[in-house]
Amino acid sequence: MAAVEIDLGKLPFDIDFHPSDHLVAAGLITGDLLLYRYNADSPAQKLLEVKAHSESCRTVRIINEGRAIVTGSPDCSILATDIETGSEIVRLENSHGAAVNRIVNLTESSIASGDDEGCIKVWDTRQRSCSHSFNAHEEYISDITFAADSMKLLATSGDGSLSVCNLRSSKIQTRSEFSEEELLSVVIMKNGRKVICGTQSGTLLLYSWGFFKDCSDRFVDLSPNSIDALLKLDEDRVITGCENGLISLVGILPNKIIQPIGEHSEYPVERLAFSHDRKYLGSASHDHLLKLWDLNELVQESEDGVKNDSSAEDSDNDGMDVDDNIPKSSKGSKKKNVNKGPDPGSSNSFFAEL
């Protein structure tokens, strides 16, 4: 399947699409923030190129209904940039005490950020402050997802565990047992009943909601390389991006590879994202390319995939356990191959001008 290609010039760490327009943002290893306008009929047009950070731009999110772009970096800052002008709205120099590795949207007025030392913060963009802080892990936060109905943050980490942070109680509700490998990506599927984690070995770990101590299932034959990115297509199918450059459509319960849908010539896939209209699947890789894949074509080709086969779903009940006794890691963990920033201490004032 052919894709629209945008040559970013340098290695991208993250991408995000505008919520209502044909715009896509990318954060580069150079610290630059790029914004492009894309369509199927002509080359992508670069609208912005901003030197956002003194170190790499690891994470990018478009917020405030598309009016601002938030970025995070090993320089420990979080920057909000005006999407129209490219001008700085506000920069929080000491947002975290370590490199900011991940930012995700939660609600219309909140985002979450995770750093290299396992701390997760929730930022209220209307109250202009940090509303929650969780020292959830011992190693870098690799990914975060949000269960809006229960107001819980789920995060994966290089320490090999999955955490559940309760925004209502402001507590770390539970954390899984430590896996022998780093957990790199996470999505919630099966109408909230299953949590899927991608790992360094290429195995998918499946957790049942409310039973997070240990995984209920493993998909071990998916990839010989790490699963660096997961993107939920629907309740039964997830798109995986792997270290070997392959992008695949995968069925969950029953667990099977439905079909490969793209590749980046053996270069690791850093991030996957959908365009606002879900017409395109965006993938960013170490080959310096942002590729836009036709999602409608993909879905048509796999129409007869897992949709008609739900017999393998398990029958775990959905009760939520509460465990505030967080285990301590007894093993070392290999850092992601990225430079770490300074540790200047933390400040909680943010979005003062958004």
Side-chain angles (χ1 to χ4, degrees):
M1 184 166 59
V4 176
E5 294 187 357
I6 301 174
D7 187 350
L8 302 173
K10 297 291 182 180
L11 189 155
F13 278 138
D14 201 4
I15 57 172
D16 196 32
F17 286 89
H18 192 280
S20 60
D21 202 353
H22 299 294
L23 303 175
V24 61
L28 305 186
I29 193 172
T30 57
D32 292 329
L33 167 65
L34 306 181
L35 182 70
Y36 288 88
R37 179 171 294 280
Y38 62 88
N39 60 64
D41 304 321
S42 61
Q45 177 189 2
K46 186 191 293 184
L47 302 181
L48 289 179
E49 182 170 359
V50 176
K51 183 64 177 177
H53 296 278
S54 59
E55 299 185 48
S56 62
C57 183
R58 282 197 199 167
T59 182
V60 174
R61 276 297 174 273
I62 297 177
I63 66 164
N64 286 9
E65 299 177 326
R67 293 190 295 271
I69 310 171
V70 168
T71 53
S73 169
D75 66 14
C76 297
S77 73
I78 294 178
L79 171 68
T81 299
D82 187 287
I83 202 166
E84 293 286 339
T85 66
S87 60
E88 177 179 315
I89 300 173
V90 63
R91 183 190 298 271
L92 179 56
E93 292 288 356
N94 300 322
S95 64
H96 282 259
V100 181
N101 199 50
R102 196 79 172 100
I103 297 175
V104 298
N105 291 325
L106 303 184
T107 67
E108 290 182 359
S109 61
S110 62
I111 61 172
S113 55
D115 71 27
D116 265 8
E117 293 183 351
C119 178
I120 301 167
K121 293 188 176 185
V122 177
W123 304 93
D124 189 317
T125 60
R126 290 177 181 162
Q127 296 296 322
R128 305 166 182 173
S129 64
C130 176
S131 59
H132 302 76
S133 184
F134 304 97
N135 291 312
H137 293 274
E138 277 98 48
E139 272 285 353
Y140 72 92
I141 302 298
S142 56
D143 201 6
I144 304 171
T145 192
F146 182 52
D149 55 344
S150 58
M151 292 295 288
K152 292 181 172 67
L153 277 181
L154 280 70
T156 49
S157 171
D159 65 16
S161 68
L162 167 73
S163 66
V164 181
C165 298
N166 191 321
L167 299 192
R168 291 196 176 109
S169 66
S170 297
K171 291 182 178 179
I172 303 169
Q173 182 159 315
T174 190
R175 198 165 86 177
S176 71
E177 299 293 339
F178 290 99
S179 169
E180 292 300 314
E181 55 199 330
E182 299 176 18
L183 303 189
L184 303 177
S185 44
V186 59
V187 292
I188 302 170
M189 298 183 66
K190 297 291 182 180
N191 297 302
R193 296 195 304 277
K194 290 292 177 181
V195 176
I196 318 300
C197 297
T199 70
Q200 194 177 24
S201 70
T203 296
L204 283 180
L205 303 183
L206 282 63
Y207 293 85
S208 294
W209 189 270
F211 298 87
F212 293 111
K213 285 300 180 185
D214 199 5
C215 62
S216 60
D217 197 5
R218 294 171 181 261
F219 187 176
V220 296
D221 299 322
L222 177 57
S223 172
N225 303 93
S226 64
I227 302 170
D228 296 332
L230 290 175
L231 185 63
K232 174 180 170 179
L233 178 62
D234 54 34
E235 298 303 328
D236 302 306
R237 296 175 293 177
V238 64
I239 299 170
T240 63
C242 296
E243 187 182 23
N244 61 5
L246 290 180
I247 304 168
S248 301
L249 183 62
V250 174
I252 298 297
L253 296 176
N255 300 331
K256 61 181 180 180
I257 300 173
I258 298 172
Q259 67 184 62
I261 58 176
E263 49 77 30
H264 278 270
S265 304
E266 300 184 0
Y267 288 92
V269 177
E270 277 286 341
R271 195 69 69 205
L272 300 169
F274 290 133
S275 62
H276 71 93
D277 52 7
R278 288 174 72 95
K279 182 177 180 181
Y280 291 107
L281 164 67
S283 60
S285 171
H286 289 211
D287 58 6
H288 301 175
L289 295 178
L290 166 56
K291 293 188 178 184
L292 304 179
W293 308 88
D294 188 323
L295 194 60
N296 293 328
E297 186 179 327
L298 154 69
V299 171
Q300 282 181 355
E301 289 176 0
S302 62
E303 207 85 77
D304 300 324
V306 299
K307 277 292 190 183
N308 299 325
D309 189 358
S310 59
S311 60
E313 290 190 28
D314 67 23
S315 59
D316 288 336
N317 74 56
D318 297 326
M320 170 63 74
D321 63 342
V322 178
D323 185 356
D324 294 326
N325 296 318
I326 307 304
K328 298 298 182 184
S329 175
S330 58
K331 69 178 186 69
S333 181
K334 183 171 72 69
K335 268 285 182 196
K336 199 173 184 182
N337 187 24
V338 283
N339 292 326
K340 193 171 177 182
D343 187 4
S346 177
S347 168
N348 289 339
S349 174
F350 192 31
F351 296 102
E353 299 174 39
L354 286 186

